[in-house]
Amino acid sequence: KGDEKNRIMRMKMALIMGNPFYGLLAGKLKVEEVVGDPFMKTAATDTKKLFYNPEYIAALSDVLLKGLIGHEVQHVVNGHAWRRGSREHRLWNWACDYAIDPVLQRCGFKVPNATINDANQSSRQWDGALAPSWAALEGAGHGTGSHT
């Protein structure tokens, strides 16, 4: 523990060698630790930075950390921050996760806490499908301050 930023930097370099598409895009994200924010339990991106909770990163294996970085890159690639519009943030994020995690798994990534579906639906389709049951999902612990 205490070396999480360096681990993230090493995994970004490993991605450049193993999966250049994700590695090069990850290289564009500045890395910023977030401590003491109850909404930052895992990691997030604002399209310019990769924010992370050091305790969460410390608990991940290198394989899962690469998957997490790939996950955040995919949010940027898909333009999720720009496409959210007036949608509820946490619901939109969860819908986006449902759309991107299967893509990452097909690319060989192991994604921590992956939201896997077989429907291959877009984030917009998932947002509409999940909205009616959002209260139940939120109560089950989904949408608790993670990815953007």
Side-chain angles (χ1 to χ4, degrees):
K1 189 170 174 168
D3 195 26
E4 288 76 25
K5 186 172 187 174
N6 286 334
R7 273 190 70 219
I8 291 170
M9 300 306 282
R10 284 194 311 271
M11 292 306 103
K12 285 168 65 172
M13 291 299 295
L15 281 172
I16 289 172
M17 300 304 293
N19 195 318
F21 175 78
Y22 287 94
L24 291 171
L25 293 171
K28 299 288 185 183
L29 294 173
K30 307 256 187 253
V31 178
E32 186 173 313
E33 180 178 295
V34 178
V35 179
D37 182 342
F39 295 104
M40 178 55 67
K41 294 183 180 181
T42 58
T45 183
D46 65 357
T47 73
K48 294 178 178 30
K49 294 180 182 175
L50 177 103
F51 302 99
Y52 69 94
N53 178 321
E55 292 179 9
Y56 181 75
I57 298 301
L60 294 178
S61 68
D62 287 351
V63 168
L64 288 175
L65 180 52
K66 284 191 276 188
L68 176 72
I69 294 167
H71 177 97
E72 298 306 329
V73 164
Q74 194 68 49
H75 278 296
V76 177
V77 168
N78 287 1
H80 290 156
W82 303 290
R83 293 175 46 222
R84 181 170 63 95
S86 62
R87 293 177 183 96
E88 198 282 328
H89 175 77
R90 292 175 298 167
L91 176 58
W92 175 246
N93 179 65
W94 203 49
C96 292
D97 289 351
Y98 259 87
I100 66 175
D101 285 352
V103 172
L104 290 165
Q105 288 198 323
R106 285 192 299 272
C107 290
F109 285 97
K110 301 253 187 264
V111 182
N113 305 314
T115 49
I116 302 305
N117 71 84
D118 294 325
N120 291 317
Q121 292 180 303
S122 70
S123 51
R124 182 174 292 159
Q125 290 167 312
W126 275 111
D127 183 62
L130 295 173
S133 58
W134 175 242
L137 296 171
E138 188 175 29
H142 297 289
T144 53
S146 63
H147 317 294
T148 299

